[in-house]
Amino acid sequence: MNAFDFDLADLAPADETSVDAMEAFRAGDLTVLSQHHTAPYGSHSFVLAHDWSVTWGTPGEPQLLAIAVARDLSRSTFTFETSHHSLASFAQNWLAERGCPLDRITLRGGDYVEPADDLSVQVERQIQSSGTRYEVLDTFTSDYDSSEAWTLVRDSRAVQAPVRLFHEEWDHDAGTYTMREGAFADIGAAQTWLEERSGPLPEPPEYSDHNGAVVRARIARIALARSVGASATPQTGLDAPRTTAAGPVQRPAPGRLR
């Protein structure tokens, strides 16, 4: 199946949201990064794409687009959803919440840059499998001299420093990127850090308390898995997509192409 030929010719939109999403959809502006189509009946399609048109628009806008299509063949209808993101891991989380197995939408190998270290992989996994844990507050993407993207969220599970900043930075010469999580007491403190960059990104409290051992153990397991060639992205065990309520709208991230 062609990435943007969703085989909808004999189907009708199930709701106004799908109508609006289809009208706004511009396949010519997109480059597919990863995709998954369910079998044998082709009831669901999931696509993660880079929107090149954003690079010529307002600076800082997200550049990743996640697309989820669900077909109800018994009723000859379909739903069509899209969501913009600044980080691939948040786009993958959005798709996973709509039933896409995480191992089917990985961005590894080939033309994609690789994580620079195991902590980057750990932070990405945390986001990908977070469900509705994070409320997205703001995002930013830069693909110029300072190639970075970040997503500012409120962590519903955090007891201390609930405002979290997920920051991704690329080293194009090395062909790698780093992903880090910072923790702040409030939005103002996070914005101050982003504006001034006067010190290192503050680590979450759980990195240094009794949970720090858990974090280190997870990183060690990731390092072991990577050393034996295992996939860096966990499987969700899902093959039959489930229906979930749409979460907060999140704006997309830059392409991971070299």
Side-chain angles (χ1 to χ4, degrees), residues 187-224:
I187 297 174
Q191 291 173 332
T192 297
W193 185 89
L194 284 166
E195 292 170 1
E196 299 179 357
R197 309 290 178 102
S198 58
L201 187 63
E203 287 189 342
E206 55 266 27
Y207 280 30
S208 57
D209 64 14
H210 65 282
N211 289 323
V214 177
V215 174
R216 288 190 292 274
R218 288 175 177 170
I219 294 173
R221 287 197 296 271
I222 291 169
L224 177 62

Side-chain angles (χ1 to χ4, degrees), residues 221-245:
R221 287 197 296 271
I222 291 169
L224 177 62
R226 295 179 76 191
S227 69
V228 297
S231 171
T233 305
Q235 298 185 9
T236 63
L238 296 175
D239 240 353
R242 62 188 185 280
T243 301
T244 58

Side-chain angles (χ1 to χ4, degrees), residues 39 48 72 86 89 131 138 140 156 160 183 209 219 243-244 256:
L48 176 55
D72 187 338
S86 64
S89 46
D138 197 8
F140 181 80
S156 62
Q160 304 177 58
D209 64 14
I219 294 173
T243 301
T244 58
R256 294 273 210 57

